[in-house]
Amino acid sequence: MKFLKLYRAYERFTGIFAAIAALLCLLMSLWITYDVLTRTLFSWASPWAFDLSEYALVWITFLAAPWILMNDRHIRIELLLDALPVRIQRVFGILVSIVAICACAVLTWRTGIAAFDYLTRGDMMARIWRIPRIYPYGVIPFGCALLTIAFVFRLGLYLRSPDPEADLKLRAAHG
């Protein structure tokens, strides 16, 4: 019971970052629309819009990914998985979760080192906007850390639930 409460609390926590990612999607659609209209109607170039869109896509990806995983709304090969017995599904889910925890932990560590280097060296982006490189890329180790924790919760679900795939499908259906 305590595990499910923690799971739901973490799901709500990651939902905050997913909401920020959704807001960034909305804002990005507005500045891209602005760029298209000003180029078409007035022949004004807005080169900042392209750079800003690239940065926003990085933030959107790494802020939304943990919530997407917690709600099982990511892309999966369910056709193959559904054909397997529950016991094999569980083993497969445990193995995938362990590999994903390791991969995300390594990404957190390595991108954290890179972000720290960007911060301490004061690296700048060689683009239209000369901003510190830490601004667009500092979210990557943060998002990877959140994703690592999300996979730990997913592993916990596979270890505790009698039918984890059914639980995940129910979670995805209710969102």
Side-chain angles (χ1 to χ4, degrees), residues 90-117:
R90 175 190 302 270
V91 170
F92 190 68
I94 289 169
L95 291 174
V96 168
S97 295
I98 290 170
V99 169
I101 289 166
C102 293
C104 290
V106 168
L107 281 171
T108 301
W109 168 52
R110 296 302 299 165
T111 59
I113 289 170
F116 183 75
D117 286 346

Side-chain angles (χ1 to χ4, degrees), residues 51-74:
D51 286 353
L52 192 58
S53 294
E54 284 183 356
Y55 304 151
L57 284 173
V58 173
W59 277 71
I60 290 164
T61 300
F62 286 95
L63 290 178
W67 180 83
I68 290 169
L69 180 67
M70 294 296 289
N71 284 280
D72 200 45
R73 298 207 174 210
H74 52 93

Side-chain angles (χ1 to χ4, degrees), residues 28 39 76 80-81 119 126 128 146 150 156 160 170-171 173:
M28 188 169 63
R39 281 176 190 262
R76 300 172 29 143
L80 173 66
L81 204 54
L119 186 63
I128 287 291
L146 291 177
R160 295 179 191 297
L170 187 63
R171 184 168 295 288

Side-chain angles (χ1 to χ4, degrees), residues 76-85 88-89 92-93 158 165:
R76 300 172 29 143
I77 305 172
E78 290 181 351
L79 183 65
L80 173 66
L81 204 54
D82 289 347
L84 299 172
I88 302 299
Q89 289 176 357
F92 190 68
Y158 275 105
E165 289 301 322

Side-chain angles (χ1 to χ4, degrees), residues 13 17 59 62-63 66 108 111 137-147:
F13 176 69
F17 300 110
W59 277 71
F62 286 95
L63 290 178
T108 301
T111 59
Y137 299 127
V139 72
I140 297 173
F142 176 72
C144 287
L146 291 177
L147 205 49

Side-chain angles (χ1 to χ4, degrees), residues 1 3-4 90 155-164 167:
M1 194 58 136
F3 173 77
L4 288 177
R90 175 190 302 270
L155 176 62
L157 189 65
Y158 275 105
L159 292 172
R160 295 179 191 297
S161 174
D163 190 356
D167 290 346

